[in-house]
Amino acid sequence: MSHKPEIIAFINEHRNLFWYTPEDKKEEVSEEFLLETILNFASLKDSLTLIRLLGYKKARKILQSARGRKKLNYYPEIYHFFSLYLNRHA
């Protein structure tokens, strides 16, 4: 997957959160995995920055598309908070 330069820069700033992803694959993580990781483990400021970079509608679509096992990858309180936030702002 090819990301916009600003998203690649964002990934590189937070590469320590992708410690289990091979170094040469970090810039290729999916948007779904990127959003999940940042929302779960980064700061609120970083989460809001990523949402802005992805676009509110796209971030909401990614979050809402998480069903079953993928939804369980989000902490419940994180999923709930950002669902409310994105439904209001997207």
Side-chain angles (χ1 to χ4, degrees):
M1 164 169 265
S2 179
H3 295 293
K4 297 186 288 186
E6 52 272 4
I7 291 183
I8 290 174
F10 183 87
I11 292 169
N12 286 325
E13 288 174 24
H14 300 87
R15 54 190 323 110
N16 61 321
L17 296 176
F18 303 95
W19 56 269
Y20 42 86
T21 303
E23 202 60 39
D24 61 331
K25 302 288 184 194
K26 291 186 182 192
E27 293 180 3
E28 299 172 15
V29 298
S30 69
E31 290 176 334
E32 292 82 6
F33 181 64
L34 175 60
L35 185 65
E36 173 190 315
T37 301
I38 296 301
L39 294 186
N40 278 333
F41 303 113
S43 69
L44 178 60
K45 180 181 176 186
D46 292 336
S47 297
L48 295 176
T49 298
L50 178 61
I51 289 169
R52 185 182 51 75
L53 289 173
L54 289 173
Y56 286 88
K57 289 181 181 181
K58 187 173 203 173
R60 183 177 76 180
K61 183 178 177 184
I62 292 169
L63 190 64
Q64 289 177 341
S65 71
R67 302 258 186 259
R69 186 179 177 323
K70 285 188 178 187
K71 184 175 177 182
L72 295 176
N73 287 342
Y74 288 96
Y75 291 120
E77 59 274 10
I78 296 292
Y79 185 87
H80 180 71
F81 174 82
F82 282 104
S83 291
L84 294 174
Y85 178 81
L86 289 169
N87 284 337
R88 181 174 185 126
H89 295 285

